[in-house]
Amino acid sequence: LCAYPYDRASGSEATMSFALKKRVVELLSANPEKRFKARDIALWITEKYPEDAAAKIERSVSIETHDQLLYQIVAEIGANRPSWQKQIPQLRTTEGVRPRLFYWSEKTEEQEVEDVESGRDQFVKFAAPDEIRLDDPAGVAEKKIARRSEHDLYPMLVEFLEFEHNVKGYRIDEKKSSNAYGAGGNKWLFPDVVGMENLTDGLHREVVTAIRESRDRQIRLWSFEVKLLVNRSNARETYFQAVSNSSWANLGYLVAAGIEGSETLKELRILYAMHGIGIIRLDEENPTESEILVPARERPDLEWAMCSRLAVENKDFHQFMTKVRQFFQTGDM
């Protein structure tokens, strides 16, 4: 543990001993694939190494209690995480969710995506720090949550859209598409989910009538590409898939149940600056608590020619366009 107070202004590891990184690696590597919060790691360290913890408090001019010590260690773990991950590829973290979770994996990031999408990785494992055996860090009791398939995520996304954003969501099944353009002709063409938002909802009926007769914009269409897991190995590919699939819509989003890996969100934000596709983190346990991490950049006009192409090629999208037409005729969704 640190012998001196941590300098948050500099964020430098020079003020801390090498032992903290060693302790973090000790716990995580003994419990591969299990997720820990930084506070759980700090608690384990102070309980496993009480003499070091006491020495840190004694030498510090700012730490007087055990809770303050935990807070300090958590701050140090967070501040040094980026440099540690560059040094130790097996040290992984979740992104876009608070608190961030730390875990150890011997898999490559490509293997992680492949295992999740193939169904081989059937569970997300969480540690139960209150049951950690101090004499055996590998004896952590684990909580397993079954991983869902990508298809399980679609109704969750629809629930989030309707509950939080008043957007009516619809599933687009790529399997219902024709194959008129041959193998690969429809690649990255169809979104997983589309949405329709009534921009006149809540307005006085006379105002709504005036908007309709003026032919001012009454509707906003959304497009979503859904993934189980996005990390640095597939961040660019999945983002550009969302760019391609959303080229017709006012708003396009890449949706992920899991965002993991150092610098993943940073890469996605760089791509957003160029292409405007937003990012949604989907909360599998509580879909209505999902979060738009990066709001999409709105396109004022729909690409009706592309909508026509999609409607010709896919029955679900054809039905979606029928609902859009009915809205323009009646105002009902």
Side-chain angles (χ1 to χ4, degrees):
L1 295 178
C2 293
Y4 303 101
Y6 177 68
D7 181 4
R8 292 186 194 144
S10 69
S12 171
E13 195 175 358
T15 58
M16 66 185 305
S17 75
F18 183 76
L20 181 58
K21 178 171 68 175
K22 180 179 179 180
R23 301 312 182 202
V24 171
V25 170
E26 177 185 352
L27 175 61
L28 298 184
S29 62
N31 298 276
E33 305 299 338
K34 296 188 180 74
R35 269 63 169 167
F36 291 84
K37 293 181 288 188
R39 183 175 175 82
D40 298 335
I41 298 173
L43 182 62
W44 178 84
I45 291 173
T46 59
E47 293 183 356
K48 181 71 180 291
Y49 299 97
E51 293 182 359
D52 289 346
K56 180 177 177 67
I57 294 176
E58 182 179 351
R59 295 172 184 173
S60 174
V61 296
S62 60
I63 302 174
E64 298 178 353
T65 67
H66 187 262
D67 283 344
Q68 290 175 337
L69 175 61
L70 291 177
Y71 180 84
Q72 182 70 23
I73 296 174
V74 168
E76 293 173 2
I77 291 173
N80 287 280
R81 174 192 61 83
S83 62
W84 290 350
Q85 288 187 281
K86 290 179 180 178
Q87 299 166 17
I88 310 171
Q90 297 91 338
L91 200 165
R92 309 282 173 81
T93 58
T94 59
E95 302 291 330
V97 59
R98 293 292 182 269
R100 175 181 278 114
L101 301 176
F102 292 73
Y103 68 101
W104 187 271
S105 180
E106 297 290 344
K107 301 176 184 177
T108 66
E109 291 186 324
E110 292 85 354
Q111 287 173 326
E112 286 189 329
V113 171
E114 183 179 346
D115 286 351
V116 168
E117 293 183 348
S118 67
R120 286 195 296 269
D121 188 0
Q122 298 182 353
F123 295 95
V124 182
K125 302 175 184 178
F126 293 87
D130 56 329
E131 298 182 30
I132 292 177
R133 291 176 51 192
L134 299 182
D135 60 334
D136 179 15
V140 176
E142 67 182 36
K143 169 188 175 185
K144 289 185 177 181
I145 297 179
R147 282 198 184 273
R148 296 176 170 88
S149 71
E150 187 176 299
H151 284 75
D152 294 330
L153 304 182
Y154 303 146
M156 298 179 190
L157 175 60
V158 169
E159 180 183 357
F160 167 66
L161 295 173
E162 295 187 5
F163 186 84
E164 291 292 331
H165 298 281
N166 199 28
V167 173
K168 185 70 174 177
Y170 302 93
R171 165 78 174 116
I172 304 298
D173 188 348
E174 187 179 25
K175 294 179 181 179
K176 295 182 181 180
S177 305
S178 71
N179 197 27
Y181 291 86
N186 290 335
K187 184 178 180 181
W188 292 8
L189 186 62
F190 300 103
D192 294 312
V193 175
V194 295
M196 183 164 51
E197 179 185 6
N198 181 0
L199 298 179
T200 67
D201 188 45
L203 299 180
H204 191 281
R205 64 178 180 273
E206 290 295 336
V207 175
V208 173
T209 301
I211 292 173
R212 290 181 62 192
E213 292 184 355
S214 70
R215 299 186 180 277
D216 201 356
R217 191 153 67 113
Q218 307 167 54
I219 199 171
R220 183 188 286 130
L221 301 185
W222 301 49
S223 175
F224 305 92
E225 180 64 31
V226 181
K227 297 296 179 184
L228 286 165
L229 174 63
V230 175
N231 60 27
R232 279 303 299 270
S233 74
N234 69 343
R236 293 182 64 85
E237 179 180 3
T238 56
Y239 191 91
F240 283 115
Q241 187 175 356
V243 170
S244 178
N245 291 350
S246 302
S247 62
W248 55 274
N250 297 119
L251 296 169
Y253 279 93
L254 172 61
V255 182
I259 302 176
E260 298 179 354
S262 176
E263 304 294 310
T264 301
L265 269 180
K266 180 179 179 181
E267 177 71 13
L268 293 174
R269 287 191 172 100
I270 291 173
L271 294 172
Y272 164 81
M274 295 184 288
H275 302 284
I277 298 296
I279 311 296
I280 294 176
R281 183 193 63 80
L282 189 63
D283 190 322
E284 297 178 76
E285 298 303 308
N286 298 288
T288 58
E289 295 183 11
S290 301
E291 183 181 4
I292 294 180
L293 301 178
V294 181
R297 190 160 59 238
E298 184 173 355
R299 305 183 190 95
D301 299 314
L302 294 166
E303 289 291 338
W304 290 112
M306 179 56 71
C307 289
S308 177
R309 161 83 187 277
L310 297 176
V312 168
E313 291 290 312
N314 183 275
K315 293 180 180 180
D316 283 346
F317 202 90
H318 180 273
Q319 293 177 0
F320 176 60
M321 284 292 105
T322 298
K323 295 180 184 299
V324 171
R325 173 181 58 79
Q326 291 171 345
F327 172 79
F328 282 121
Q329 290 176 338
T330 67
D332 296 328
M333 300 186 79

